[in-house]
Amino acid sequence: MKQYKKLAINAFFFALGNIGSKSINFLMLPIFTRYMVPSNYGKLDVINTTVSLLVPILSFQIIEAIFRFAIEFRSKNKNIVLSTAIFFSFISLGFSLILYPILKNISVFNQYKTYFYIIFYLTVLNGIIKQYIRGLEKIKLYVLSDFLYTIVFAISNVFFLVLMRLGIEAYLLSNIFALLFSSLFIIFSAGLHKEISLNVDKKLLKEMLSYSIPLIPNGIMWWIVVSSDRYIITYFIGYEATGIYSVAARFPSLLTLLFGIFFQAWQLSAMEEYDRENYDIFFEKVFGAFSSVMFLSTSVLFLIIKPFMNVFVGKAYIDSWKYIPFLFLGALFQTFASFYGVNYAASKKTIGAFSTSIIAAIVKIASIFSFINILKLQAAAVSTFLAYFFMWIARIFHTKKLVKIKLDKKHLVWSSSLLIIQSLVLLVVKNILIEYVIQGIILIIIILLQWKYIKLLLKFGTNLIGEKISNSKA
C-alpha cells in the first residue's frame, strides 16, 4: 500500500505543475491560430522540431542521466553530479555551433538563428536542473518552476504576439523568457548557485555518459516517430499543410499531458520498487488502472473533439480536426509504450529502449512514404498511430526478459478495437445524429469494460482520503 500511496501523492504534485507548462501550447491555440497564418505556424513548428531533435543528440542525453544519478547520489556528494552535467551543457552548445554552416543555408533557420541557439542552450540547462531537483525529490519546487514557466510564456505571448504583432518572433521570445525565468528560479530557490562549482568528476561524467549515450539512438528514433513528419509534410505539401497538421497534433497533447503528469511519478516509483519483491504485481495493477483511465479519456475526447474545434481554433485551422482521430490513437499507444519503457531505465538496460524504438521509426517512415500520395496529410496521422502501436507490442514481448508481466488481454484487445471503430465513425459517418448515437454506445461499452479497474481506483482513492482525514484529526 505504501508504494501506491507514494505514487499517488507524487502524481498529484506533478499534476499541479504540468497542467500548465505541458498544456500551455494547447491552451494558447485560440491566440496562435488567430494571430498566425498556417504557413508561419508551420515554420515555427519546424524550428521547434529541429530543437527537439538536436537537444538529445548534442547533449548526449545527459538530461536523462542526471535524474538517475541524482537519485543514486542523494545521500553523498550530490553537487558533483550537477556541476558535471552543467559543464557538459557548454560542450553541447559548442557542438551546436559547429552545425551553423549547415543551418545558415536553410532560410527559416538563417532568419531566426540567434533565437534558435539561445533556446537550444536554455532547453538543455533547464532540463538538467529540473531533473536534478526531481531526482532529489524536491517536487514542490519542480512544480513551482513549471507554474512560473507557464505564466511567463503566456504573458509574453499576449504582449509580443497580440499587442506587438511580432508573429514567429513573439513565440520564440516568449519561450526564451519562460525558460530563463524558470531556470533562474530553480537555481536560486534550491540554492544550486552554492552547489555549482568548477570541479568536474571525469569518472562520474564517464559513468553518466555510459548510461546516457545508448539513449541517443532511442531519442532519435522517438524524434522520427514524433516529429519527422513535419519535414516530410513540408517537402511534399508545404508549410501551410505543416501548420494545419501541427495544430491537429496539439490536441493529442491532452492525452499525453494526462500521462506525462502520471509518468514522472510512475518513473520515480518504478525505479525505487524495481528490485523489490512483487514488483511485477505492482506493475500489473498500476498498468491496468492506468490503461482504463486512458481508454476512457480517449473515448470521451473523440465524442467532443469536432464541436470543440469549431470554437477553439481560428477559421483557417478548422479542417485540422480530420487528422486528430488517428493522432489520438497514436498518443494512446505512445503512453502504453512509455509505461513499459520505464523498465529499461529502472534496470539500467537502456539498449532495449532503442531496439524497440527503431521498430517504430521504421514503421513510421515506411508507412508515411507509402501513404502520402494517396492519403495526403492523413498519411502522417495514420503512420503515427501504426508506429506507436507496433512499439508498444514490441515492448510487451521484449520487457518479458526484465520482468514477467501478465496482461489482461481481453480488456486491452476489446478496448483498443472499440476505439479504432469509434475513430472511423468520427471520420466516415456524415449524419451527425447517427455519428453521436454510435459513439455514445461505444463509450458505454468501454465504460463497462473498464469497470473492474474503476472500482479499484475508487476504492484506493476512498482509502487514501480516509487516511488523510484520520491523520489530520490525530
Side-chain angles (χ1 to χ4, degrees):
M1 181 66 183
K2 184 180 178 182
Q3 67 267 46
Y4 297 102
K5 179 183 173 182
K6 186 173 183 179
L7 175 61
I9 292 170
N10 283 340
F12 171 75
F13 281 116
F14 282 124
L16 291 176
N18 282 336
I19 284 173
S21 64
K22 300 298 184 185
S23 64
I24 188 62
N25 277 298
F26 172 78
L27 296 173
M28 295 290 288
L29 278 181
I31 293 177
F32 293 152
T33 57
R34 286 169 174 84
Y35 289 90
M36 240 188 272
V37 296
S39 58
N40 277 351
Y41 197 78
K43 290 177 182 177
L44 179 62
D45 206 47
V46 169
I47 294 171
N48 288 334
T49 296
T50 306
V51 171
S52 70
L53 168 65
L54 295 181
V55 164
I57 295 175
L58 301 183
S59 70
F60 286 24
Q61 286 282 35
I62 198 76
I63 295 171
E64 297 296 323
I66 195 168
F67 171 64
R68 187 71 183 83
F69 282 81
I71 293 175
E72 191 173 318
F73 280 71
R74 275 180 195 166
S75 57
K76 30 188 174 179
N77 193 16
K78 62 181 184 295
N79 62 312
I80 197 65
V81 175
L82 179 63
S83 299
T84 301
I86 290 179
F87 165 78
F88 196 78
S89 72
F90 289 105
I91 296 177
S92 301
L93 179 61
F95 288 148
S96 69
L97 292 171
I98 293 172
L99 294 178
Y100 176 71
I102 299 173
L103 294 176
K104 73 175 183 179
N105 295 317
I106 305 171
S107 59
V108 69
F109 293 106
N110 195 40
Q111 188 176 356
Y112 303 107
K113 55 182 176 290
T114 303
Y115 296 108
F116 174 81
Y117 279 109
I118 295 172
I119 290 172
F120 171 83
Y121 181 73
L122 288 177
T123 301
V124 175
L125 177 65
N126 189 258
I128 286 173
I129 59 179
K130 282 183 70 177
Q131 292 306 315
Y132 178 71
I133 62 170
R134 180 181 161 216
L136 299 182
E137 291 195 290
K138 295 184 178 182
I139 309 301
K140 292 179 182 178
L141 186 58
Y142 184 98
V143 168
L144 287 172
S145 71
D146 276 343
F147 268 126
L148 183 62
Y149 175 91
T150 303
I151 293 167
V152 174
F153 185 82
I155 293 174
S156 299
N157 266 296
V158 170
F159 178 74
F160 292 122
L161 184 59
V162 179
L163 299 179
M164 297 189 67
R165 304 295 178 97
L166 293 182
I168 293 174
E169 287 181 281
Y171 181 100
L172 298 175
L173 281 169
S174 299
N175 198 20
I176 288 171
F177 285 132
L179 286 169
L180 183 61
F181 276 90
S182 174
S183 300
L184 291 174
F185 172 75
I186 295 172
I187 289 171
F188 289 102
S189 297
L192 302 188
H193 60 292
K194 297 176 183 177
E195 293 187 27
I196 300 170
S197 68
L198 296 176
N199 293 326
V200 177
D201 189 326
K202 293 180 181 179
K203 183 180 178 182
L204 175 63
L205 179 59
K206 185 177 179 180
E207 288 180 27
M208 291 172 73
L209 292 177
S210 296
Y211 173 85
S212 67
I213 286 175
L215 293 172
I216 296 175
N218 180 56
I220 295 172
M221 294 305 108
W222 270 100
W223 178 88
I224 290 173
V225 177
V226 175
S227 305
S228 64
D229 47 19
R230 305 317 198 266
Y231 291 110
I232 297 169
I233 293 167
T234 300
Y235 179 79
F236 281 97
I237 310 176
Y239 279 117
E240 185 172 343
T242 304
I244 296 292
Y245 182 78
S246 298
V247 168
R250 295 295 183 197
F251 283 82
S253 68
L254 293 170
L255 210 56
T256 52
L257 168 66
L258 189 65
F259 173 68
I261 290 167
F262 167 80
F263 179 73
Q264 293 175 83
W266 164 239
Q267 189 179 39
L268 200 58
S269 292
M271 287 185 177
E272 291 174 346
E273 299 293 327
Y274 183 76
D275 292 320
R276 297 176 186 175
E277 193 177 354
N278 296 325
Y279 171 73
D280 56 337
I281 297 172
F282 177 56
F283 186 99
E284 290 163 14
K285 287 184 177 179
V286 175
F287 181 70
F290 163 76
S291 61
S292 288
V293 171
M294 299 307 287
F295 282 133
L296 275 173
S297 301
T298 305
S299 185
V300 170
L301 289 169
F302 276 152
L303 199 63
I304 65 173
I305 194 62
K306 200 185 290 187
F308 183 72
M309 286 287 289
N310 288 329
V311 298
F312 194 68
V313 301
K315 290 181 180 178
Y317 297 84
I318 286 176
D319 281 348
S320 60
W321 76 266
K322 298 174 183 177
Y323 314 107
I324 292 176
F326 279 105
L327 288 172
F328 264 135
L329 290 173
L332 174 72
F333 292 111
Q334 175 192 351
T335 65
F336 289 178
S338 296
F339 190 99
Y340 269 76
V342 78
N343 287 321
Y344 297 124
S347 63
K348 292 188 178 180
K349 295 179 180 178
T350 50
I351 192 66
F354 170 65
S355 62
T356 52
S357 297
I358 197 170
I359 294 172
I362 292 170
V363 171
K364 172 79 174 193
I365 296 300
S367 57
I368 194 171
F369 278 111
S370 298
F371 298 144
I372 196 160
N373 289 323
I374 304 168
L375 301 177
K376 302 300 180 184
L377 202 49
Q378 192 69 261
V382 172
S383 64
T384 299
F385 155 60
L386 292 174
Y388 284 127
F389 177 76
F390 281 104
M391 178 190 284
W392 176 49
I393 297 300
R395 288 188 173 182
I396 288 174
F397 288 100
H398 192 264
T399 54
K400 285 182 178 179
K401 300 174 183 178
L402 306 176
V403 57
K404 301 296 181 183
I405 305 296
K406 293 180 182 178
L407 280 174
D408 188 344
K409 295 178 183 177
K410 182 179 177 181
H411 166 248
L412 292 170
V413 171
W414 276 104
S415 298
S416 299
S417 300
L418 284 167
L419 282 178
I420 292 171
I421 293 170
Q422 189 177 357
S423 69
L424 293 174
V425 168
L426 182 59
L427 289 170
V428 175
V429 177
K430 303 300 180 184
N431 186 291
I432 295 176
L433 179 61
I434 295 173
E435 175 198 321
Y436 279 101
V437 168
I438 297 173
Q439 285 206 68
I441 292 170
I442 292 173
L443 176 58
I444 291 169
I445 297 171
I446 288 176
I447 291 172
L448 293 174
L449 284 170
Q450 318 310 316
W451 194 245
K452 177 177 71 173
Y453 294 106
I454 291 172
K455 287 193 294 184
L456 284 175
L457 284 170
L458 290 173
K459 183 180 178 181
F460 174 73
T462 303
N463 290 339
L464 189 61
I465 293 169
E467 186 178 329
K468 286 290 181 183
I469 292 171
S470 298
N471 290 338
S472 64
K473 288 180 178 178

